[in-house]
């Protein structure tokens, strides 16, 4: 990451944080995909899904 | 989000997107001088990010993240509040330094090491609790 990229990222996350929006970096999503491909993720229980793991899209959603 | 004094949940659970959560419903419910814990998930099990600390320092909430049995907690300690911009920049600076020095370090550990290094000087308390394999 160049100094300019870093400055822009800081400006962006702080601006969004002050608005109340949490914008996570892409590396967490990439880590999630890597762990999924490696079969390292445990099954996720979801109250919306009665049987089996939730679909990948739902599992990737963040909650707060 | 939970009110620290009463233990009651504030607002409903918010479903976000892959890379973002709109916390404005929770922010709108914040009452001045009360303390809250804001929970959210990190699907990749990494520790706090630059964006997390920016939210923490913008809204005075304690934040915690729990995924796959690992819990992370980040909170302010008494004293002058560090500007969100300075904290986010400190995170990215340490992220770049560690990534260059240890390119093979998993992101879960890399982000954990960042907070072990920078939390104190930003006036923050940082904890990680991992599920024991029993």
């Amino acid at each position: 990451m160049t100094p300019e990229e870093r400055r822009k990222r800081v400006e962006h996350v702080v601006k969004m944080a002050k608005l109340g929006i949490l914008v996570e970096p892409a590396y967490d999503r990439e880590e999630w995909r890597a762990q999924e491909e490696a079969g390292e993720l445990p099954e996720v229980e979801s109250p919306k899904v009665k049987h089996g793991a939730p679909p990948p899209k739902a599992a990737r959603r963040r909650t707060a | 989000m939970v009110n620290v004094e009463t233990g009651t949940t504030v607002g409903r659970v918010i479903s976000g997107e892959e890379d973002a959560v709109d916390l404005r419903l929770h922010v709108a419910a914040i009452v001045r001088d009360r303390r809250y814990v804001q929970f959210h998930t990190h699907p990749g099990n990494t520790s706090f990010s630059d964006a997390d600390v920016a939210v923490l320092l913008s809204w005075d909430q304690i934040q915690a993240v729990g995924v796959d049995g690992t819990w992370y907690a980040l909170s302010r300690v008494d004293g002058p509040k560090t500007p969100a911009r300075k904290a986010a920049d400190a995170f990215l600076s340490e992220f770049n330094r560690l990534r260059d020095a240890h390119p093979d370090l998993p992101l879960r550990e890399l982000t954990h090491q960042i907070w072990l290094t920078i939390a104190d000087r930003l006036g923050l308390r940082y904890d990680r609790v991992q599920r024991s394999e029993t």
Side-chain angles (χ1 to χ4, degrees):
Chain A
M1 180 181 280
T2 66
E4 181 62 11
E5 287 170 337
R6 186 167 127 195
R7 187 187 65 75
K8 284 184 177 175
R9 168 74 189 171
V10 168
E11 273 187 20
H12 180 60
V13 298
V14 170
K15 177 183 169 188
M16 297 304 278
K18 288 185 188 305
L19 290 172
I21 299 171
L22 177 58
V23 184
E24 294 285 17
Y27 65 68
D28 182 71
R29 183 185 62 212
E30 290 159 8
E31 187 75 359
W32 187 91
R33 289 192 173 128
Q35 290 171 45
E36 184 186 44
E37 285 173 13
E40 293 176 359
L41 291 179
E43 283 200 21
V44 179
E45 289 181 21
S46 167
K48 293 178 183 174
V49 181
K50 288 184 178 176
H51 303 289
K57 264 284 187 188
R60 281 205 297 272
R61 279 180 178 273
R62 294 170 191 280
T63 56
Chain B
M1 186 166 75
V2 174
N3 181 315
V4 170
E5 279 80 26
T6 64
T8 53
T9 303
V10 180
R12 61 172 172 80
V13 174
I14 299 169
S15 180
E17 303 301 325
E18 278 189 31
D19 289 340
V21 187
D22 185 341
L23 300 171
R24 283 178 290 183
L25 275 177
H26 289 176
V27 167
I30 290 173
V31 176
R32 190 184 173 91
D33 295 330
R34 290 193 184 158
R35 301 179 69 215
Y36 303 88
V37 181
Q38 172 76 54
F39 298 93
H40 72 278
T41 53
H42 278 190
N45 303 307
T46 55
S47 187
F48 295 103
S49 68
D50 50 353
D52 294 319
V53 75
V55 168
L56 169 68
L57 292 170
S58 295
W59 296 104
D60 265 358
Q61 300 167 54
I62 301 167
Q63 277 198 44
V65 180
V67 173
D68 295 352
T70 301
W71 286 75
Y72 300 100
L74 190 65
S75 57
R76 281 188 59 210
V77 295
D78 292 339
K81 187 161 91 171
T82 303
R85 186 178 304 275
K86 180 181 175 185
D89 191 63
F91 174 89
L92 289 174
S93 173
E94 191 63 13
F95 185 97
N96 292 339
R97 190 189 71 77
L98 273 177
R99 202 106 206 242
D100 287 345
H102 307 283
D104 296 327
L105 192 64
L107 280 163
R108 282 166 281 183
E109 285 307 313
L110 186 140
T111 48
H112 174 58
Q113 289 299 323
I114 290 171
W115 288 108
L116 289 178
T117 303
I118 68 173
D120 274 355
R121 68 177 145 98
L122 296 176
L124 302 171
R125 174 180 169 160
Y126 170 70
D127 294 286
R128 177 173 77 169
V129 181
Q130 290 183 292
R131 182 173 57 186
S132 60
E133 298 295 333
T134 54

